Amino acid sequence: MRRLVGEDKGGEVIDFTDQVAIVSGAGRGLGRHYALDLARRGASVVVNDLGCAMDGEGADRSIADQVVDEIRSTGGTAVASYESVESPEGGQAIVQTALDNFGRVDCVVSNAGIWGMAPFDEITPEQWQRMINTHLNGGFYLSQPAFKVMKNQGYGRFVFISSSGGAFGIYPSTHYAAAKAGILGLTNNVAIEGARYGILANAVLPFAITRMATATGEPEEGSLLALSRPELVAALTVYLASRACTSSHQNFSSLAGRYARVFIGVADGWISEPGSTPTADDILAQLEKVSATAPFSIPGSIVEEMDVVA
C-alpha cells in the first residue's frame, strides 16, 4: 500500500507507521473510509463490523472481509473483527484482536451504529434499548478495554462518532438523538481521565451520504446531501486519530467540506445576591440575562463551571 510518508503535501504529512488502529463499523459508509485512509497512511487496522442491517438485525462477515481485502490488495495491513460492540465481551474481543495481531492499540475510532425512525410516542422499549446498546453502550464497551491498554502505553487517541442529531436534535428519531448525545458525555470524561496518561479524546459530528442518510430516498443532484461525500469526513477523523492531534475534550462538525468546532458554553447569566433565595418571579424579572447567550465561557469540567460562578 502506498504510504504518504515523505510526500510533499505543502506541510507535515500525517503518518501512522507502526501504529495500530481499531475502527468499529468499518465495513461500509464512513467507517470504511476511516479504515482505508488510516491503512493508506501506514496503520495496521482492525476492521470491525458485525455486518448487520441498518436496524441492527442480522450479521454478515463478508462486510468486514471486503474492506480487509481492499486494504491488503494495495499492500496495507488489516485484520477483520466480527464482534458486536453491544456487550463487554464483544468490546474486549475487538481490542484483543488488535493485541493478538499487532501487540498494541494506538487509536480507536468508535463508529459502529444503527439507525431507525419513529415518532417519540411510538418508540418501543426494545427500539430504545437497541439504539442505546449499539451507540452509547457500544462506545463504552469498546473504549474501556482500549483505554486500559493506552494507559499502560502512555499514549492513545479516541475519536467518538457522535451526531449533530444528538447535539441539536433530529426528527423523528429521539432514541438515536439521545444515544448520540450520550456519546458527547462519554467523550468528555474519557478526555478528562485520559489526560494524565497521554490519551486524547474528541468527537466528530459527521454528515455524509451513507446508507443512513439515504434511508428515506436518494438525494437530489447538487443538494447539500449529495455533496456530502464520506471521504470528506475521513479527513477530520483521521487527523484526530493521529499523533499530530493535540486537542482533546472537543467536538467537531464535518458537513460537506465545512469543518468547525461544536461546543457547549455557559453564558454569564444573572447571579442573584449572596444569601438570597430567588423566586420564580425573580427569574421572570431577570429572564433577559438568564436567557442571553453572550458573553459565555466553555468549562472544561463541572468544576470549572463552579469556578466561574465562585
Side-chain angles (χ1 to χ4, degrees), residues 35-220:
L36 291 176
D37 199 14
L38 286 163
R40 185 172 66 94
R41 293 174 180 271
S44 298
V45 183
V46 175
V47 177
N48 167 253
D49 205 299
L50 179 63
C52 65
M54 225 171 20
D55 62 359
E57 294 291 340
D60 182 355
R61 290 193 169 199
S62 70
I63 300 300
D65 288 339
Q66 289 168 12
V67 177
V68 170
D69 290 344
E70 191 172 358
I71 290 171
R72 290 177 176 174
S73 69
T74 48
T77 303
V79 295
S81 163
Y82 317 107
E83 302 288 342
S84 171
V85 297
E86 293 186 16
S87 71
E89 296 79 14
Q92 180 64 59
I94 296 167
V95 173
Q96 196 61 48
T97 296
L99 296 177
D100 289 346
N101 286 273
F102 308 121
R104 59 185 292 117
V105 177
D106 294 286
C107 56
V108 171
V109 180
S110 182
N111 170 74
I114 59 173
W115 170 249
M117 294 183 292
F120 177 66
D121 56 348
E122 296 179 14
I123 295 172
T124 66
E126 293 75 21
Q127 289 173 320
W128 174 271
Q129 196 59 57
R130 166 156 272 181
M131 197 69 73
I132 297 297
N133 279 345
T134 302
H135 291 276
L136 183 54
N137 292 351
F140 169 71
Y141 293 144
L142 175 59
S143 63
Q144 189 185 53
F147 185 97
K148 294 176 182 178
V149 175
M150 294 176 181
K151 180 178 175 180
N152 289 331
Q153 293 173 172
Y155 175 88
R157 300 286 186 270
F158 284 100
V159 185
F160 292 95
I161 305 303
S162 182
S163 170
S164 292
F168 308 121
I170 183 171
Y171 177 84
S173 190
T174 302
H175 48 344
Y176 177 82
K180 286 298 193 181
I183 289 173
L184 298 178
L186 174 63
T187 305
N188 290 341
N189 258 56
V190 171
I192 290 172
E193 297 194 34
R196 69 186 66 183
Y197 307 115
I199 299 171
L200 309 183
N202 296 282
V204 173
L205 288 62
F207 185 80
I209 182 167
T210 63
R211 286 191 306 160
M212 184 182 300
T214 58
T216 56
E218 291 298 319
E220 294 182 9

Side-chain angles (χ1 to χ4, degrees), residues 254-292:
S254 178
L255 172 60
R258 191 284 311 271
Y259 309 97
R261 185 174 175 187
V262 177
F263 56 88
I264 297 175
V266 181
D268 286 359
W270 169 65
I271 300 179
S272 59
E273 290 295 325
S276 67
T277 305
T279 66
D281 305 285
D282 294 321
I283 299 299
L284 176 60
Q286 299 294 336
L287 192 58
E288 185 174 348
K289 292 182 179 178
V290 172
S291 301

